[in-house]
Amino acid sequence: MKTENIDFEKLLIKTAFCCMASDGFIDDREVEIVKSMSNKSPLLQGFDYNVEIDRFIKELRQKGKGFSSAYFKQLENADMTKEQKLVLINFVIEIIKADDIIEYSEIRFFKNIKRRLNLNDDIIETVRQTIPDIAIFFEDDDVELEEHVDNVAQQYLDAFNLSKINFEPLKNKSKKP
């Protein structure tokens, strides 16, 4: 049951951050996509991207895998509109595609998000129509099975290697995204 009122802008930036880190490497192109999409999004006009990213880096270093686990719970409990879900999904797909390498860990990250957002067919069809060549993101697998969601999330978190993540591309950011 979705009950948590959210600050969507912060959740969107947290999603972008988790997505960039999901393959263990934050690519400069991913950072540029986030900055570009943030500049284009009316939801993020005037939002201080840098403060949130710095906070997320600190929190990730302190909590490790607990950071991602808490993120997935927050996402699962968030009460979002269809439009917010579409914006979030679009952000995730564009970030994953940014470095021209789609890692299995990124697909699993997306599928965890997809499952936690409980996307209906209408939303999925809208995404498919607006973003070409994304079939791999919507293929069914074990993430789709309700009784295995927590196990799949744990497998994703077990594979997550915090020590591999290079945060330098995020530290070399400008004042405004």
Side-chain angles (χ1 to χ4, degrees), residues 2-157:
K2 308 282 184 176
T3 59
E4 185 176 315
N5 288 328
I6 58 164
D7 182 340
F8 183 69
E9 295 82 4
K10 288 182 180 180
L11 182 62
L12 190 58
I13 295 299
K14 190 173 194 176
T15 299
F17 176 78
C18 289
C19 184
M20 288 187 291
S22 69
D23 64 355
F25 179 74
I26 298 174
D27 189 281
D28 289 332
R29 292 171 289 186
E30 293 171 332
V31 174
E32 291 307 313
I33 284 287
V34 171
K35 288 179 183 179
S36 173
M37 292 178 76
S38 295
N39 286 334
K40 292 176 186 173
S41 173
L43 296 170
L44 297 172
Q45 294 299 313
F47 184 77
D48 195 343
Y49 165 93
N50 296 319
V51 169
E52 290 303 311
I53 291 294
D54 290 343
R55 187 173 64 82
F56 296 149
I57 291 171
K58 183 179 179 182
E59 192 176 336
L60 179 61
R61 286 185 171 148
Q62 289 173 346
K63 294 181 179 178
K65 294 176 187 174
F67 178 83
S68 295
S69 183
Y71 163 73
F72 285 134
K73 282 288 185 200
Q74 179 184 15
L75 191 63
E76 189 169 20
N77 293 323
D79 186 21
M80 285 188 270
T81 66
K82 174 184 175 181
E83 291 73 23
Q84 289 172 325
K85 289 179 181 181
L86 287 169
V87 167
L88 189 137
I89 291 297
N90 186 46
F91 254 58
V92 170
I93 291 172
E94 292 303 318
I95 293 165
I96 290 172
K97 291 170 46 180
D99 63 3
D100 297 322
I101 301 169
I102 298 176
E103 300 284 347
Y104 184 65
S105 60
E106 293 171 318
I107 299 297
R108 290 189 69 91
F109 176 78
F110 175 84
K111 289 183 178 188
N112 270 291
I113 288 174
K114 177 183 157 208
R115 173 64 188 100
R116 300 207 186 264
L117 290 177
N118 195 24
L119 301 178
N120 62 35
D121 291 340
D122 180 46
I123 293 174
I124 291 171
E125 188 55 35
T126 300
V127 173
R128 286 183 179 180
Q129 289 176 7
T130 57
I131 306 172
D133 303 323
I134 60 163
I136 192 169
F137 295 101
F138 291 100
E139 291 175 356
D140 289 337
D141 70 358
D142 54 351
V143 174
E144 299 301 317
L145 302 174
E146 176 97 28
E147 63 272 13
H148 298 293
V149 163
D150 290 332
N151 289 337
V152 170
Q154 191 57 51
Q155 289 171 1
Y156 167 79
L157 294 171

